Structures are given as C-alpha cells and as structure tokens.
Amino acid sequence: MTGALLDHIKIYCNLNAEATAGINKWFTASVVKKRTFIVKEGEACHHIYFVAKGCLRMFYLDDKGTEQTIQFALENWWMTDIDAFNKKGTSSFSIQAIEDTVVLGITKNDWDLLLQEQPGLEKYFRIIYERAYAASLFKMRFFRLPKDEMYRHFCTKYPQFIQRIPQKLLASFLGFTPEYLSELRKRKQP
Amino acid sequence: MTGALLDHIKIYCNLNAEATAGINKWFTASVVKKRTFIVKEGEACHHIYFVAKGCLRMFYLDDKGTEQTIQFALENWWMTDIDAFNKKGTSSFSIQAIEDTVVLGITKNDWDLLLQEQPGLEKYFRIIYERAYAASLFKMRFFRLPKDEMYRHFCTKYPQFIQRIPQKLLASFLGFTPEYLSELRKRKQP
C-alpha cells in the first residue's frame, strides 16, 4: 500500500532497497470512506497523512457555524494540522474524505523516529513543505483578487480540482455562494 | 556577519567547526537601508535572504495600484518569492527593508550547492519551511475573522510586530484603513 508514497519519494530522493523497506514499516494504510472524518476540530491530531488515492479536504467552523474549506489534498499530497501534529495539541481544523480515499498515516513519534533512521528523507520533506509554503504565498495574493478573476486563475492553475471537487465545497473554498459559482461556470462555457 | 545565521542553525542541527566554515563561504552580507528594495515585483528574484538584523516586508501592487503587504520578516526569518527563486522566474512580490537591515543572501545555484555539500542542512530548511507552512495555515483562518478579533489575535501571537511595524504597513497587512487600526489601538488601551 505504500507504493504510491515510495514512488513519490523517489522523484526527489535516491532510495535503495534497504531504505525502501525501512520506510514501509512506519506507515499504516487506511481506507477512508467518502464523508468520513480522519481529524476533528478541537480533538487531538495524532497523524500526518499521505493521500495514496482519493481526495481530502480541510475546513473549520466559523463563528456562525459555517464550514470554511481552506485546503484540498489529491493524490501525492500530504495533509494534517501541522501545528497540532508537531505540538501534540488539539486541531484547529477538521479533515474529511470527499471521495473514498486511501491514506498512509504516521504518528508524530514515529515520524521523528523515521527521520532519525532515514535522514535522507529530510530532503523529501523539505521539498514538500517548500512547495506547500510557495502555494500559500500564491493563495495570499489569489484570495485578494476580484471574484471572477480569482475563479479564472484557479481554473488555469488547478484544473484537476474543478473536475473532482463538488461544487458546494469548491464554492466554500473560494468564498463564493454555490449560486455565484454556478453562474461563473455557465459564463465560462462556450 | 553570518554569526546570527549559524546560531540559528545550531538551534536545530549539530554543526562542527568544518561545517560552520563550509556554510560561511556561501553567503553574502548586505546592509540594506530603510525603504530600500532588495526584490522588485516583475523582476528577477535571484536570492533567498536571512534577516540577521532589522525587518523586511513583502508586498504586491493590486489592480488599483495599492500596496498589499502579505508578510514581514524580523531577525532569524527567511524571505524570498520562493516560487520565483526556485524557478529562476520573475517575482510576484516586492521585498523592502522597513528598518536599516542586515541580510545574508544566497543565490539559487549556490543554495543547491550548499545543500549538496552540507546535506545536514536539509533538516534546518525542512523545519524553516514547515514553520512557514504552519504560519500560513494559521493565516488562512486568521484572515477570515471579524476585524476586531483578527487584531486581538494578532497582538497576542505577534506582539513584537505591533511594536516595530509602522502603523500604515500593519494596516495594509491586516486589510484595514490606517484610521480603523488607530481606532482599534485606542480601544485596546486601558
């Protein structure tokens, strides 16, 4: 079940057979049915997850009880509330499968041990976090755009999300009403 | 001039004398006078910078020509347009000193060579990016708060910014008018 993860690591790091076997043992694969939560806001966040197949979303409830979606993770993406994971605190976000999803999870203690045992993986995680940080800088600019322009940029940069994410969740992520998103979609069609 | 950087690296990684000397040679220290730009939006972004002393801000010009400040970097923080730096593309942001500032800069080519020569630094940069990413998740939630609550959270989490950042720039970062920020500050005083 860790094949997808090992393939992803190999894009960035050299892994010999011994290292491959050494990584395998630390991860637990889980099949998460659509709509199931793997992290709940206000509860402990024990794991960081690699998406081997499917799609996760991260969200929180605002003061009015409305779900605010802030991130999606498709195949080969990692997801957790990184602050809660590192500090073993309670999560500020919920994480839910929006398709039937296969995740590979690892606890903070095991993740620390994995990196001690396989220091070559520091490069892999440096690149993972570097990309996540670069995406966050893009978002800082993106979310201040006029709404129609924001949608146009999003379609160009993340076409795979447009196809796979339900319209209601995409609207929540973009800060639109579902009706406004539907209107923008119609306008975009020839 | 690289003392502050080496001290910061030593918090996270063991550095022997050889490694210390090996790191020193890759960085160039520059004194950047207040208001001077070290990166300009639309131009090449050759370096990543470590702030040894002082403060930088990152911003872009929106459609109306208004400066939108998205990040500050005090001592021990790193700053660059990471996407432009990695891809050797043009920067989507400007970076300006808001105090007289001492930065240690390194080019992308040298940074790659440094990491090849000192793979132990992968851990340091993994932690740097991990923290930057964690801060970005916090911001995603923070920027959707009601304005007065946003300011209260900001004061609690980043008191050093309240003291050092000019009110006009802080207002730009928070998405307030300077007048509204001034009003909030008065309300907060006993």
Side-chain angles (χ1 to χ4, degrees):
Chain A
M1 292 292 261
T2 52
L5 172 59
L6 296 171
D7 287 347
H8 197 239
I9 293 172
K10 282 174 191 164
I11 297 173
Y12 307 104
C13 303
N14 295 323
L15 284 185
N16 58 28
E18 195 188 353
T20 302
I23 292 167
N24 256 325
K25 70 179 184 210
W26 294 104
F27 287 88
T28 306
S30 311
V31 178
V32 188
K33 298 295 284 180
K34 185 174 173 175
R35 295 198 187 86
T36 305
F37 287 80
I38 54 174
V39 175
K40 282 192 177 174
E41 186 177 342
E43 297 184 5
C45 175
H46 295 297
H47 295 79
I48 186 166
Y49 297 98
F50 175 82
V51 180
K53 188 173 181 335
C55 184
L56 301 174
R57 74 158 174 143
M58 183 183 266
F59 70 95
Y60 67 93
L61 289 180
D62 69 12
D63 293 351
K64 293 171 188 159
T66 307
E67 291 180 359
Q68 298 279 351
T69 300
I70 65 157
Q71 215 165 64
F72 299 104
L74 293 173
E75 286 82 11
N76 295 340
W77 291 43
W78 290 81
M79 189 171 259
T80 192
D81 177 339
I82 191 68
D83 203 48
F85 173 72
N86 277 335
K87 295 176 183 163
K88 298 185 181 176
T90 55
S91 182
S92 301
F93 305 97
S94 294
I95 300 178
Q96 184 188 36
I98 62 174
E99 298 173 1
D100 291 346
T101 297
V102 180
V103 294
L104 303 173
I106 182 168
T107 63
K108 171 66 178 157
N109 285 348
D110 283 352
W111 195 71
D112 288 341
L113 291 170
L114 166 66
L115 286 172
Q116 276 175 36
E117 193 180 276
Q118 307 276 350
L121 286 183
E122 291 285 3
K123 179 181 177 184
Y124 173 71
F125 285 107
R126 188 261 298 165
I127 293 169
I128 293 297
Y129 285 122
E130 188 180 282
R131 292 170 61 166
Y133 173 60
S136 78
L137 279 187
F138 168 80
K139 273 192 204 163
M140 289 291 290
R141 192 163 172 159
F142 170 79
F143 276 110
R144 296 188 191 193
L145 285 173
K147 287 187 173 183
D148 53 346
E149 210 176 318
M150 191 201 290
Y151 182 66
R152 196 169 47 77
H153 271 265
F154 188 79
C155 293
T156 310
K157 200 165 164 87
Y158 301 109
Q160 71 278 36
F161 284 98
I162 301 289
Q163 284 153 18
R164 284 175 65 178
I165 311 287
Q167 189 140 331
K168 190 182 148 194
L169 300 181
L170 201 58
S172 164
F173 175 73
L174 295 168
F176 299 169
T177 62
E179 294 73 24
Y180 183 70
L181 178 59
S182 170
E183 196 188 309
L184 281 178
R185 279 193 154 167
K186 278 182 205 149
R187 267 193 239 162
K188 218 179 162 269
Q189 279 161 2
Chain B
M1 292 290 261
T2 53
L5 172 59
L6 295 171
D7 287 346
H8 197 239
I9 294 172
K10 282 175 192 165
I11 297 172
Y12 307 103
C13 304
N14 294 322
L15 284 185
N16 58 30
E18 195 189 350
T20 301
I23 292 167
N24 255 326
K25 70 177 182 211
W26 294 104
F27 288 87
T28 307
S30 311
V31 178
V32 188
K33 297 296 282 180
K34 186 175 171 174
R35 295 197 188 86
T36 305
F37 287 79
I38 53 174
V39 175
K40 282 192 178 172
E41 186 178 341
E43 297 185 5
C45 175
H46 296 296
H47 295 79
I48 186 167
Y49 297 99
F50 175 83
V51 180
K53 191 174 180 327
C55 185
L56 302 174
R57 74 158 173 143
M58 181 184 268
F59 71 95
Y60 67 92
L61 288 181
D62 70 13
D63 293 350
K64 293 172 188 160
T66 306
E67 292 180 1
Q68 298 280 350
T69 300
I70 64 157
Q71 214 164 65
F72 299 104
L74 293 173
E75 286 83 9
N76 295 340
W77 291 43
W78 290 82
M79 189 171 259
T80 191
D81 178 339
I82 191 68
D83 203 47
F85 173 72
N86 277 334
K87 295 176 182 163
K88 297 184 181 177
T90 55
S91 182
S92 300
F93 305 98
S94 294
I95 299 178
Q96 185 187 34
I98 62 175
E99 299 173 0
D100 290 348
T101 298
V102 180
V103 294
L104 303 173
I106 182 168
T107 63
K108 171 66 178 158
N109 286 348
D110 284 352
W111 196 71
D112 289 341
L113 292 170
L114 167 66
L115 285 172
Q116 276 173 35
E117 193 180 275
Q118 307 276 350
L121 287 182
E122 291 285 4
K123 179 181 178 184
Y124 173 71
F125 285 107
R126 188 261 298 167
I127 293 168
I128 293 298
Y129 285 123
E130 187 180 282
R131 291 169 62 165
Y133 173 59
S136 79
L137 279 187
F138 168 80
K139 272 190 205 162
M140 287 293 289
R141 192 164 173 159
F142 171 77
F143 276 110
R144 297 189 189 191
L145 285 174
K147 287 187 171 182
D148 54 344
E149 211 175 318
M150 191 202 291
Y151 183 67
R152 195 170 48 77
H153 271 264
F154 188 80
C155 294
T156 309
K157 199 165 163 88
Y158 301 109
Q160 71 278 33
F161 284 99
I162 300 290
Q163 285 154 16
R164 284 175 64 178
I165 310 286
Q167 190 141 330
K168 190 183 148 195
L169 300 181
L170 200 58
S172 164
F173 174 72
L174 295 167
F176 300 168
T177 61
E179 294 73 22
Y180 183 71
L181 177 59
S182 169
E183 197 186 308
L184 281 179
R185 279 192 154 167
K186 278 183 203 149
R187 268 194 238 162
K188 220 180 159 267
Q189 280 161 4

